[in-house]
Amino acid sequence: MDEHTAGLHAVAGPESAGERPIFGRDAELARLFHAVDSASADPVLVLLGDVGMGKSALLDRVARRAEASGARVLRAEGSESESNLAFSALHQLLRPVSAEVDRLPERQRAALRGAFGAGPAPAETDLMLIGVAVLSLLSALGDQRAVVVVLDDTQWFDRASLDALSFAARRLAGEPVTMLIAARVGEHLRGFDRHVPTLTLGPLDDAAAGRLLDLRSQPPTGRMRTRILDEADGNPLALTELTRAVTAREADTKPPSTGPLPLTDHLERIFAARLNRLPASTTRALLLLAAMDTVDSAIAVPAVLPNAEDEAWPPAEQAGLVRRTGQGLRFSHPLVRSAVYHAAPVDARRAAHLALAEPLRDEPDRRAWHLAAAATRPDAAVAAELERTADRARRRGGHAAAAKALQRAAELAPQREDSARLLVEAAAAAVLTGDLAWVEELAAGVRARTDDASLLADAAAQVGRLAVLTVRHTVVFSRLADAAERLALARPATALDLLAGAAVVRFYCGEDAQRHRTRAVLRRLPEDASHAWLRTWVRAVADPFDDRAGLLCLLPRVAAEARRRPDRLTAFAIMAWLLDETPQAVRAFDEAFDRWGTRGPLPDGLGGAAAWSYVEQGRWGRAREACARSSALGTTAGLDHAVACAAAVDATVLAYQGDATAARARAEDALALIDPWESRSVAVYARRALGAAALAEGAHEAAYDQLRTVFTADGAPVHYHASYPALADLAAAAVRSGRREEAAVIVERSARALADNASPRLRALLERARGLLADPEDAEPHFRAALADPVLEHWPFERAQTLLDLAEWLRRRRRIAEARAPLTEALETFRRLGARPWIERARAEARAAGLDVTDSTPDALAELSPQQQQIIRLAARGLTNREIGEKLFLSPRTVSSHLYRSFPKLGITARSQLRDLIENTLVTAGHQD
């Protein structure tokens, strides 16, 4: 709703033949014009202001100017009545470009049409694909001409639309697309609340406010003018409406005192007061207009609402309550709509909603909400309609809309048990929005309505399902463990499910006391063969190195269960990764992703395991794809912990690839999102990444300082799983920074703690660390032991580092001929992985060993950024720009731009040359991406 006629007149005065002036907003207009006109400007700008500050007037001015310059302007306006309808705002925005939607790739087109209810909803909605489709569409429109997206009153956008638009907004850099977003101050805009430039409209200064009053047909003077200026406090809408009230003598020629009322409420009362002098037919028409939404108007107006020429409307126009537009009549401001609606008696509102529901039989969702608004007492039929609405919204990916419909259905259900059941279902839908406070509110509603143990357990499970993904690890663990303990005997299956969530929180937090609590609760749960895999999960996640051999014996049974239940493949893969059975983990992750993808709207618990598995096996491109998806899901759902996990893994890959600056930035992003003692795992991962970045630059003291923080002052691991893989890098940094003795104490303490539970991988890292820290004459057996087990080839980067260490030791001992084989193998692995700093180090060592080291074709990739390398490899596999964009959550234009900048560095001119160029690399590392 533009801000609207009142806001526009408030800053511009009466209409004239030319463009109306805007007073007191020169700086704000300049900022908005710069955002639209300048290629160097941020592609997204949020405009905040209190009600009546003129946000819409400014957006209107910018939009008209953009259209006059040849840009395509797409607009959507939030509506309170449509905020419960999934994707309604996005549909409004894209309706003018429906032909371009039809030209999207099939999967993206189907995703958008399914979201809009214009086609069959897919069996499993991929919300990220909807975001990619919006991004692709905006990018394609930008190929034709500049695009300006204007989103007004976004505080009333439905959640699904806001998620899709924020997803696209975060990826508009480099696109000829500008997104301007207006919302009220204090409103939380999910996805637009961090790192988005913001422009806040403050009050007009006295001079601008005075000029605005002077534009009125009867400008106030004297004491009345002073009082209006004081009470309006620079709010343009208030200046206009208080003056109008005085002019119309609505309050005995004096503006009513605001008293304790907020300005918004005061203005709403002014609008409501105007209704008293209107004819009954006008009041009824206004109430119908207030009760309907934008799509209702097209369907219901002919049947219910007087047409624009009806005699009911002129009195409302004269009172400044409505205005005419090219599409008919609309309220002059959202506050007018609110005033009209809330000033009406309950029976009149009920009649209006029933009248609107009647012609909407072909729009069941809108009809259901009108019937719900008309319901003043429990109504089983309306509750059933809302339940069906929720089901449709859920199938289209509108989880917030589904939860709201179910919550309202629960309020209307006549039976308390039915109400509780509906609230449990609402909580299950709300979980997928990432809003833990809402889920807890719904669970509290269940507790208030029923004593049914099953429903109470289900409500607790829904809270736990989401809570594990938040950053409140200490509190969440206690709640989950307490609930599991309470339900251990009465509901053992639910208790075990809650304990499984608590184990995930234990992993994230890493607090040792949580391990003891987890074991204690697990012992209380009765043994049940059908629960074996979940018990194994709890043990593996909470303490994988307590009885590794025993857990390994159980892993085949868990794998068999996963083959029968593909939805458990990911859980099996995570357990395999935790036990350092990375080859099994990678195979399971591949199968899971290939079979049913990662289409849920939330990141998986321990979702970083997939990315870490790919990192460890040298598939760094696939790891970054997993990070991109996890980060996108976490950002959309507002789950900072998931975003931090992805950032830490991404930082590690960037460090290995030699982009130390980007690695540090990503690691710092991760650390900024978490409390290091609440999220020890992420903190350790981020410090390991910072250490790797320093090693890549040869800054060994800085590397040691970072890696030392992943162990406590007395040398214990800060995290029981994440700290141990840092041992070898810690030793490497210690040797070159004079900290050999301190590092040796830590290494030996870790060796004692792990003892027989150390995996082959960890034993190899321990031996490498010992070799680095040993006296020169004692080092060789440790290096040889670190390379002895053939299974270690599944950790190629770690193995290549050890090969390089051995080769360097051999050369220093003048055993140059023996050094050449491990050097050659190490260099080949580093080249295949794209580990640039280690390539350079290995090449220098190889030259010193008398090897003829020449640049090979794959080294051309070293000139590219990590993301460009990723795109090049995917393009070489035959993927189109759109397909690459879907995988990496980029627009086709961004992919094309990266390819265009990469070709000269690779010495090629055509996409067809890519496969031949890097064929040897891809053959050697056939599974890398």
Side-chain angles (χ1 to χ4, degrees):
M1 311 290 166
D2 70 15
E3 216 165 7
H4 273 231
T5 298
L8 186 58
H9 280 277
V11 293
E15 294 188 19
S16 63
E19 194 170 62
R20 291 164 289 184
I22 290 180
F23 297 133
R25 300 297 191 201
D26 291 350
E28 291 88 347
L29 270 176
R31 175 82 180 278
L32 289 165
F33 289 156
H34 176 72
V36 172
D37 296 342
S38 175
S40 62
D42 291 306
V44 182
L45 180 63
V46 174
L47 180 64
L48 297 177
D50 288 326
V51 171
M53 282 296 179
K55 300 183 294 295
S56 298
L58 295 179
L59 292 184
D60 284 343
R61 174 62 60 83
V62 176
R64 287 197 301 272
R65 186 173 181 270
E67 286 177 329
S69 68
R72 183 195 292 268
V73 177
L74 299 176
R75 302 192 68 154
E77 298 172 355
S79 163
E80 275 188 287
S81 60
E82 292 192 358
S83 61
N84 295 327
L85 299 172
F87 296 107
S88 56
L90 186 64
H91 187 225
Q92 180 191 156
L93 180 77
L94 301 183
R95 192 163 43 203
V97 291
S98 57
E100 284 80 358
V101 171
D102 291 339
R103 286 193 278 272
L104 287 172
E106 182 179 355
R107 290 181 67 242
Q108 296 180 27
R109 181 176 66 250
L112 267 186
R113 291 181 62 80
F116 296 154
E124 197 169 352
T125 301
D126 186 347
L127 297 180
M128 292 299 99
L129 186 59
I130 293 171
V132 170
V134 174
L135 178 63
S136 296
L137 178 62
L138 294 177
S139 180
L141 292 171
D143 288 338
Q144 303 166 21
R145 49 182 164 140
V147 177
V148 178
V149 176
V150 177
L151 309 176
D152 203 358
D153 280 330
T154 47
Q155 72 275 358
W156 289 326
F157 274 27
D158 65 278
R159 170 66 187 276
S161 294
L162 204 58
D163 286 348
L165 289 165
S166 64
F167 176 95
R170 290 189 295 273
R171 292 159 177 82
L172 289 179
E175 302 287 341
V177 180
T178 303
M179 190 176 287
L180 303 178
I181 303 146
R184 293 182 181 176
V185 166
E187 297 289 346
H188 177 59
L189 296 182
R190 291 285 289 263
F192 292 105
D193 52 356
R194 185 183 289 125
H195 307 312
V196 177
T198 300
L199 174 62
T200 301
L201 292 184
L204 297 177
D205 61 26
D206 290 344
R211 293 172 67 197
L212 182 58
L213 291 183
D214 290 339
L215 284 178
R216 307 305 305 168
S217 57
Q218 298 180 41
T221 58
R223 191 169 55 145
M224 192 61 64
R225 182 185 182 94
T226 300
R227 186 169 178 188
I228 288 173
L229 287 169
D230 287 344
E231 293 198 7
D233 194 25
N235 183 295
L237 179 65
L239 288 163
T240 298
E241 297 307 327
L242 289 172
T243 303
R244 188 194 295 271
V246 170
T247 303
R249 299 182 180 277
E250 290 177 357
D252 299 325
T253 73
K254 295 188 298 182
S257 172
T258 59
L261 282 178
L263 182 59
T264 298
D265 294 343
H266 182 45
L267 288 170
E268 194 166 328
R269 287 194 177 186
I270 290 176
F271 292 133
R274 295 182 193 157
L275 299 172
N276 297 330
R277 296 190 307 276
L278 297 177
S281 60
T282 301
T283 302
R284 181 177 182 276
L286 286 170
L287 179 56
L288 285 167
L289 186 62
M292 69 172 49
D293 61 39
T294 56
V295 174
D296 286 350
S297 63
I299 302 167
V301 164
V304 179
L305 202 66
N307 65 47
E309 305 308 318
D310 193 280
E311 62 183 12
W313 295 116
E317 288 184 84
Q318 292 162 13
L321 300 176
V322 297
R323 64 186 176 95
R324 294 179 183 272
T325 70
Q327 299 175 335
L329 288 152
R330 64 186 303 174
F331 285 109
S332 58
H333 193 276
L335 283 184
V336 178
R337 179 180 190 161
S338 178
V340 168
Y341 187 81
H342 292 292
V346 171
D347 287 345
R349 293 204 299 265
R350 183 172 185 274
H353 284 294
L354 289 174
L356 289 166
E358 183 59 31
L360 290 171
R361 294 186 178 277
D362 293 333
E363 292 284 334
D365 297 334
R366 298 174 189 277
R367 172 181 164 80
W369 278 108
H370 279 301
L371 292 174
T376 56
R377 58 178 61 89
D379 189 318
V382 177
E385 288 278 358
L386 286 169
E387 198 169 354
R388 287 189 285 273
T389 284
D391 183 58
R392 286 188 291 269
R394 192 161 35 206
R395 282 187 277 119
R396 288 160 45 210
H399 302 295
K404 288 180 180 179
L406 288 164
Q407 187 173 15
R408 179 63 175 140
E411 294 167 358
L412 294 175
Q415 302 299 320
R416 290 176 66 83
E417 290 301 304
D418 287 338
S419 179
R421 173 186 61 80
L422 288 165
L423 283 178
V424 169
E425 292 183 22
V431 161
L432 301 176
T433 70
D435 190 338
L436 181 59
W438 188 14
V439 177
E440 290 175 330
E441 173 194 331
L442 294 167
V446 176
R447 293 193 293 272
R449 285 168 170 79
T450 185
D451 295 324
D452 184 287
S454 176
L455 289 173
L456 291 172
D458 288 346
Q462 295 304 335
V463 173
R465 183 183 171 198
L466 179 57
V468 300
L469 298 174
T470 70
V471 295
R472 296 160 46 185
H473 298 316
T474 303
V475 171
V476 168
F477 177 86
S478 295
R479 288 183 180 176
L480 292 175
D482 289 348
E485 196 163 30
R486 284 195 306 271
L487 295 167
L489 298 179
R491 299 275 297 179
T494 302
L496 188 55
D497 195 47
L498 290 167
L499 192 61
V504 173
V505 180
R506 144 75 175 156
F507 181 90
Y508 286 146
C509 189
E511 171 60 52
D512 201 49
Q514 295 169 348
R515 173 171 62 96
H516 302 299
R517 182 78 193 282
T518 303
R519 284 178 173 177
V521 177
L522 190 61
R523 282 195 296 268
R524 291 197 58 189
L525 290 169
E527 295 279 355
D528 186 324
S530 65
H531 299 159
W533 82 271
L534 205 51
R535 294 182 72 93
T536 306
W537 167 271
V538 172
R539 290 176 57 194
V541 172
D543 199 349
F545 299 129
D546 173 49
D547 178 19
R548 183 174 181 274
L551 289 168
L552 284 178
C553 289
L554 296 173
L555 212 54
R557 187 188 310 171
V558 177
E561 179 78 6
R563 283 192 289 272
R564 292 193 300 272
R565 295 275 303 274
D567 58 312
R568 292 181 177 171
L569 266 174
T570 299
F572 164 70
I574 291 169
M575 283 186 266
W577 170 72
L578 287 165
L579 294 167
D580 270 339
E581 294 295 310
T582 301
Q584 289 192 67
V586 166
R587 285 194 297 272
F589 280 128
D590 281 347
E591 184 179 351
F593 297 158
D594 291 343
R595 187 179 297 192
W596 46 270
T598 52
R599 298 190 175 185
L602 296 179
D604 291 325
L606 290 180
W612 277 119
S613 296
Y614 291 130
V615 170
E616 290 168 11
Q617 201 165 72
R619 298 172 63 182
W620 295 349
R622 188 71 178 257
R624 297 201 72 202
E625 288 176 33
C627 290
R629 182 168 195 93
S630 183
S631 181
L633 288 169
T635 301
T636 299
L639 297 171
D640 286 348
H641 195 264
V643 179
C645 287
V649 185
D650 212 26
T652 303
V653 176
L654 288 165
Y656 290 167
Q657 292 175 322
D659 194 342
T661 301
R664 279 192 290 271
R666 293 291 280 148
E668 295 296 345
D669 286 344
L671 291 169
L673 291 170
I674 53 102
D675 177 333
W677 292 110
E678 284 280 298
S679 301
R680 287 172 175 84
S681 60
V682 176
V684 167
Y685 292 143
R687 293 296 174 187
R688 280 171 49 187
L690 290 169
L695 283 173
E697 294 180 317
H700 298 107
E701 287 191 13
Y704 185 83
D705 289 342
Q706 293 291 348
L707 295 169
R708 181 64 183 83
T709 65
V710 310
F711 296 91
T712 64
D714 60 358
V718 168
H719 188 272
Y720 62 93
H721 186 271
S723 291
Y724 288 127
L727 285 166
D729 282 347
L730 177 77
V735 169
R736 293 169 174 81
S737 60
R739 315 281 187 88
R740 187 187 301 262
E741 291 183 4
E742 183 180 28
V745 170
I746 296 171
V747 169
E748 294 309 318
R749 174 168 180 159
S750 295
R752 290 192 299 273
L754 288 166
D756 294 338
N757 286 308
S759 65
R761 176 206 180 192
L762 287 182
R763 285 197 296 271
L765 290 173
L766 282 165
E767 291 297 345
R768 179 188 169 215
R770 285 167 166 160
L772 288 165
L773 296 168
D775 291 333
E777 61 273 13
D778 299 326
E780 184 174 11
H782 297 297
F783 289 137
R784 297 290 184 189
L787 296 166
D789 194 332
V791 76
L792 299 174
E793 293 181 359
H794 293 290
W795 290 269
F797 183 62
E798 292 172 3
R799 176 178 168 79
Q801 287 178 301
T802 307
L803 286 166
L804 181 56
D805 290 335
L806 173 62
E808 288 177 336
W809 181 87
L810 289 168
R811 190 182 65 79
R812 286 197 301 272
R813 308 296 288 179
R814 301 188 182 282
R815 293 161 61 180
I816 294 174
E818 293 177 67
R820 289 171 180 164
L823 263 177
T824 301
E825 184 180 347
L827 180 56
E828 180 181 312
T829 300
F830 292 141
R831 280 175 168 164
R832 171 166 60 86
L833 296 175
R836 284 180 284 182
W838 284 268
I839 292 171
E840 291 308 312
R841 182 177 148 199
R843 287 172 62 187
E845 189 66 27
R847 283 193 292 267
L851 290 173
D852 182 15
V853 181
T854 57
D855 290 337
S856 62
T857 300
D859 272 345
L861 294 179
E863 297 299 316
L864 307 181
S865 72
Q867 187 168 68
Q868 287 171 340
Q869 291 184 38
Q870 205 174 357
I871 290 169
I872 287 293
R873 293 182 187 279
L874 291 172
R877 283 163 44 187
L879 275 68
T880 66
N881 288 0
R882 291 185 183 277
E883 290 168 337
I884 295 170
E886 281 188 19
K887 276 186 169 290
L888 304 182
F889 305 107
L890 302 171
S891 74
R893 175 189 292 273
T894 300
V895 173
S896 176
S897 176
H898 279 301
L899 287 171
Y900 178 79
R901 292 198 298 271
S902 300
F903 281 11
K905 297 176 183 177
L906 296 173
I908 62 173
T909 57
R911 194 187 196 104
S912 59
Q913 298 171 271
L914 282 174
R915 182 174 293 276
D916 290 339
L917 177 75
I918 61 174
E919 186 176 23
N920 291 335
T921 301
L922 294 174
V923 168
T924 305
H927 55 268
Q928 181 171 328
D929 291 319

